[in-house]
Amino acid sequence: MQFKYIFLVIPIVVFSQIKVYSQQISNYWQQKANYQIHIDVDVKSHSYKGIQKLKYYNNSPDTLKKVYYHLFYNAFQPGSRMDIRNRNLLDPDRKLDVKIKNLKQDEIGNEKVLTLTQNGSPLSFNIDGTILEAILNNPIIPGDSTELNMIFEIQIPLLCRRSGRDNAQGVDYSMGQWYPKLAEYDYMGWHADQYIGREFYGVWGDFDVTIDIDSDYKVVAGADLSAIKDLNNGKSRYHFISKNVHDFVWAADRDYKHYSIDTKEGVKLNFCYQDTGKRDSIWRLAGPIMAEAFSFMNDRYGKYQYSSYTFIEGGDGGMEYPLATLITGNRGLNSLVGISIHELMHSWYQFMLATNESLYPWMDEGFTSFATIEVLNYLSKKGLINRKFPEFPFQNDYDNLIKFNKSIFREPLSLHADHYNTNYAYWENAYTGGEVFLKQLEYIIGKKAFDQGLLNYFDKWKFKHPAPIDFIRVMEKTSGMELDWYLEYFIYSTKDIDYAVDTIIVDKDEITIGLTNLNTFPMPIDVQIQFENGKKKNYHIPMDLTLGSKKKDNYEYIYLPEWNWVSPGYRFSIKNNKSKLKKVIIDPSGRLFDIDRTNNVMTN
Ligand SMILES: [Zn+2]
């Protein structure tokens, strides 16, 4: 018989501001924007002039009297909001600070809009930083469309933060967010956020892009190349088409070479990199590994909806775009595969399931990080990468998030990506927080419902903008459990989970186990009882907020009566079958995000 006394400590809990996060699924609508863009690149001045014809469809129930565009490259100027915001963070990016400060006039990013018309008549507009606001001559009524044509002139910054020219490894042009991009309007209204270097949100539509550039440059894009034409003036004309996407990326370099492989699903994976150093041998080794990874992703997260994907050397790390990624190329194989998997996974968690990643960065970075671990773990087990994971491959990230949550930097996951006080808080919440949110959801609803739920989410929300409640509703319908409380606690509060085994009483006929909820975040609980003879019994205690319980999971459970979320303690008894009890463990799978696991185990 053993008793353990635990003092109850009531932690200080910060509630985030209650936000509107619901979405009326049955009334769902989204805008559509079809772009036709033609630019002529002057590689001497690192700039381009362009014409953009935009057909904009107002599918909203509202009459739109104005429109907003993002002019992202205006952030690459000393004194821009991106510059000021970065400098004033508690943990600024010092390199970015120095680079922006040193930009000369012919090196800054600069987007000039020369003319803007609506259905042929000129519009007056105002540019403030990275946002252009135009008052429409003719408001767009619900169900109507309009044509917005623009002539612009853009200077590419000599600072490669995601995009820009002359990246650190010698790629000439890394071209993300390179065109005046219409802001999204949805059930929350306009999302015309000033760009401070974080996340994006775009309008679904089609892109028809023509790029004229000196013929010694090779241009690649996240799109189908429909034609290359020699213009007989030293320039070539590239024509790309991309349908049902919400962004467009391209890159150009004089040293690019490329190869392609087909996955067994018939999707073409293109690898495009500078033909220098050891790149060729390493990038060629990555191809078959990525094809294997792609098949796993396709089976587990939903069928990839496009015919190609291109890994492009460029940028300043790894950045995701539709049908392509820009990643730095001078890497070893493990690093190249790791970053390639993360960016390719964004095809699911951002480019087919297009959440507003500014508002819900945990739904794109977090879900992507979750899947990245699963895919890497799969490749590791197949012996395709030289990297070993612990038995619970998420352990490292669970530990990191606990460390963050105990720090003074903690903020709730519900924050808009731009508004975190530190890069550290943004990083931990968006990437690790979203990852842990998902892995723990698997614990709550069981592996079978969780796996099916990921596919159902994809089927229901691909080519749309799912919000948190939309994801949760799919998981509720798949599992038959209520889960809104989980969203509330995990995303919209800073409450913690800490369950403990506090009592084991063994008498002649019965064994009694006592458990305590030491903190404020209620959860259903798995308990494993281990006996000296090596036998194990797994129990599951449902929690009343779920109005149900998980069914198929990692273990065969014996189900116990539910634990009311209001009750701090719980006791249950089992028959003493005379084999000596060794240990009682809360959550042997390690998936419960319990901030103190030392009290999850009690030895008899
Ligand atoms: Zn990412």
Side-chain angles (χ1 to χ4, degrees):
M1 191 158 58
Q2 190 177 354
F3 287 100
K4 194 168 164 190
Y5 298 96
I6 292 162
F7 295 96
L8 278 174
V9 180
I10 307 297
I12 298 161
V13 167
V14 185
F15 263 104
S16 66
Q17 172 194 353
I18 302 298
K19 291 190 179 179
V20 179
Y21 61 90
S22 62
Q23 185 150 347
Q24 295 293 317
I25 296 168
S26 53
N27 298 327
Y28 182 82
W29 52 266
Q30 67 189 20
Q31 306 295 73
K32 185 176 166 79
N34 289 345
Y35 291 85
Q36 199 186 333
I37 308 172
H38 185 171
I39 61 167
D40 185 9
V41 182
D42 176 3
V43 297
K44 287 191 190 67
S45 63
H46 307 290
S47 63
Y48 47 94
K49 286 196 178 112
I51 300 171
Q52 177 175 284
K53 294 180 177 173
L54 180 66
K55 182 95 172 173
Y56 183 46
Y57 298 84
N58 180 16
N59 298 322
S60 83
D62 308 319
T63 296
L64 301 179
K65 295 178 179 152
K66 50 190 175 183
V67 292
Y68 294 90
Y69 286 83
H70 299 277
L71 308 175
F72 291 102
Y73 283 4
N74 287 348
F76 297 85
Q77 299 175 0
S80 71
R81 285 176 177 83
M82 180 169 84
D83 178 26
I84 296 168
R85 177 66 179 165
N86 177 53
R87 277 189 272 124
N88 286 286
L89 287 175
L90 292 169
D91 54 350
D93 177 346
R94 295 279 177 214
K95 278 190 198 156
L96 182 69
D97 181 14
V98 172
K99 280 184 197 160
I100 288 195
K101 201 181 297 167
N102 292 335
L103 288 177
K104 300 189 188 80
Q105 197 54 32
D106 60 352
E107 295 171 346
I108 59 170
N110 201 357
E111 295 200 30
K112 282 187 207 152
V113 175
L114 306 179
T115 64
L116 177 60
T117 63
Q118 181 188 18
N119 299 330
S121 64
L123 291 180
S124 62
F125 57 87
N126 179 46
I127 295 174
D128 173 18
T130 65
I131 293 295
L132 178 151
E133 181 192 64
I135 309 294
L136 297 173
N137 295 337
N138 305 108
I140 322 167
I141 60 168
D144 207 356
S145 65
T146 200
E147 202 167 295
L148 297 162
N149 292 349
M150 186 186 267
I151 297 175
F152 58 83
E153 216 174 271
I154 295 178
Q155 180 171 288
I156 307 165
L158 178 63
L159 190 174
C160 204
R161 176 70 197 99
R162 289 180 175 147
S163 57
R165 69 178 164 100
D166 301 345
N167 89 343
Q169 298 177 358
V171 172
D172 294 321
Y173 297 115
S174 302
M175 303 300 291
Q177 313 298 339
W178 56 278
Y179 56 95
K181 184 179 176 185
L182 195 74
E184 180 60 300
Y185 183 84
D186 67 12
Y187 73 110
M188 289 177 162
W190 284 104
H191 296 273
D193 298 338
Q194 290 282 349
Y195 183 61
I196 59 153
R198 287 246 195 271
E199 307 280 355
F200 304 98
Y201 185 41
V203 189
W204 282 102
D206 301 337
F207 284 77
D208 178 319
V209 174
T210 304
I211 299 166
D212 297 348
I213 192 167
D214 291 28
S215 294
D216 51 342
Y217 288 79
K218 185 169 177 179
V219 179
V220 285
D224 295 326
L225 176 63
S226 80
I228 309 177
K229 195 166 119 188
D230 185 355
L231 296 177
N232 295 320
N233 61 356
K235 286 194 167 186
S236 298
R237 174 167 292 170
Y238 288 76
H239 183 207
F240 296 98
I241 302 280
S242 187
K243 286 186 186 295
N244 216 2
V245 290
H246 51 86
D247 200 5
F248 187 101
V249 66
W250 62 278
D253 191 77
R254 285 163 289 187
D255 307 311
Y256 272 157
K257 75 180 283 184
H258 97 280
Y259 77 95
S260 304
I261 56 172
D262 290 325
T263 70
K264 66 175 197 260
E265 296 79 11
V267 172
K268 195 173 276 304
L269 299 183
N270 305 305
F271 297 82
C272 181
Y273 47 94
Q274 296 182 97
D275 192 10
T276 50
K278 287 186 195 146
R279 278 180 184 65
D280 191 52
S281 59
I282 290 172
W283 279 65
R284 277 185 187 276
L285 285 174
I289 302 173
M290 290 312 298
E292 181 70 31
F294 181 89
S295 297
F296 176 87
M297 294 171 184
N298 222 51
D299 292 343
R300 172 129 178 88
Y301 310 108
K303 187 176 179 294
Y304 185 72
Q305 299 288 311
Y306 306 96
S307 60
S308 70
Y309 187 88
T310 305
F311 300 88
I312 306 169
E313 181 180 357
D316 64 335
M319 184 59 200
E320 66 276 14
Y321 300 95
L323 286 82
T325 174
L326 290 180
I327 51 183
T328 46
N330 191 15
R331 296 167 179 272
L333 184 61
N334 265 1
S335 165
L336 181 62
V337 168
I339 191 112
S340 296
I341 284 170
H342 180 93
E343 305 310 340
L344 174 57
M345 255 332 295
H346 273 300
S347 297
W348 281 262
Y349 300 117
Q350 185 50 27
F351 294 110
M352 292 184 281
L353 295 157
T355 50
N356 178 345
E357 57 174 10
S358 291
L359 266 180
Y360 318 118
W362 56 274
M363 286 182 81
D364 89 303
E365 291 304 347
F367 287 20
T368 294
S369 299
F370 165 85
T372 302
I373 298 238
E374 286 197 336
V375 178
L376 286 172
N377 195 38
Y378 167 79
L379 294 177
S380 168
K381 283 189 171 152
K382 287 207 100 182
L384 289 169
I385 54 167
N386 183 19
R387 188 172 161 184
K388 288 276 166 286
F389 286 89
E391 193 188 330
F392 180 56
F394 297 86
Q395 192 59 57
N396 201 22
D397 290 336
Y398 269 58
D399 293 344
N400 286 338
L401 192 62
I402 287 171
K403 193 173 147 208
F404 164 70
N405 284 353
K406 288 181 175 171
S407 78
I408 57 164
F409 301 106
R410 186 179 193 183
E411 298 181 76
L413 267 92
S414 55
L415 268 179
H416 184 292
D418 292 350
H419 297 278
Y420 281 105
N421 293 331
T422 58
N423 283 315
Y424 175 44
Y426 158 72
W427 188 269
E428 282 302 330
N429 273 348
Y431 289 76
T432 321
E435 175 189 321
V436 171
F437 172 86
L438 267 196
K439 193 62 193 171
Q440 183 169 248
L441 181 61
E442 181 199 285
Y443 164 85
I444 296 169
I445 67 175
K447 184 154 172 39
K448 194 174 176 215
F450 178 78
D451 291 352
Q452 186 58 49
L454 288 182
L455 290 170
N456 292 352
Y457 173 52
F458 180 80
D459 284 343
K460 181 156 181 64
W461 285 99
K462 64 177 183 287
F463 300 127
K464 296 192 178 83
H465 293 307
I469 194 66
D470 301 320
F471 173 74
I472 283 294
R473 287 296 291 137
V474 169
M475 287 301 184
E476 287 187 340
K477 286 176 183 172
T478 310
S479 65
M481 296 166 71
E482 286 299 310
L483 299 166
D484 43 345
W485 61 275
Y486 182 53
L487 191 65
E488 288 278 348
Y489 275 87
F490 201 96
I491 305 298
Y492 295 92
S493 91
T494 51
K495 290 170 184 276
D496 285 318
I497 298 164
D498 185 13
Y499 280 83
V501 185
D502 67 29
T503 314
I504 300 174
I505 305 168
V506 179
D507 68 21
K508 201 156 62 65
D509 302 317
E510 255 185 4
I511 299 171
T512 299
I513 312 289
L515 308 175
T516 312
N517 180 0
L518 292 172
N519 216 300
T520 50
F521 191 147
M523 287 293 280
I525 294 299
D526 285 357
V527 184
Q528 186 175 73
I529 301 182
Q530 297 182 0
F531 298 91
E532 291 290 358
N533 64 6
K535 289 224 166 82
K536 292 171 187 168
K537 277 190 172 167
N538 289 292
Y539 295 86
H540 181 68
I541 309 169
M543 195 266 290
D544 59 343
L545 290 174
T546 66
L547 303 181
S549 63
K550 64 179 165 186
K551 286 161 192 85
K552 280 263 157 51
D553 198 11
N554 294 349
Y555 310 96
E556 286 296 328
Y557 293 107
I558 300 160
Y559 288 85
L560 294 168
E562 69 183 17
W563 184 342
N564 297 324
W565 73 273
V566 295
S567 303
Y570 185 92
R571 271 175 187 241
F572 68 98
S573 299
I574 59 169
K575 226 179 109 194
N576 189 350
N577 62 6
K578 311 300 176 211
S579 60
K580 198 167 154 36
L581 187 148
K582 187 178 160 200
K583 232 187 225 178
V584 176
I585 305 171
I586 289 176
D587 176 36
S589 72
R591 293 171 297 173
L592 181 70
F593 186 58
D594 189 313
I595 56 161
D596 179 8
R597 294 192 71 85
T598 59
N599 56 23
N600 286 26
V601 183
M602 188 177 271
T603 309
N604 189 28

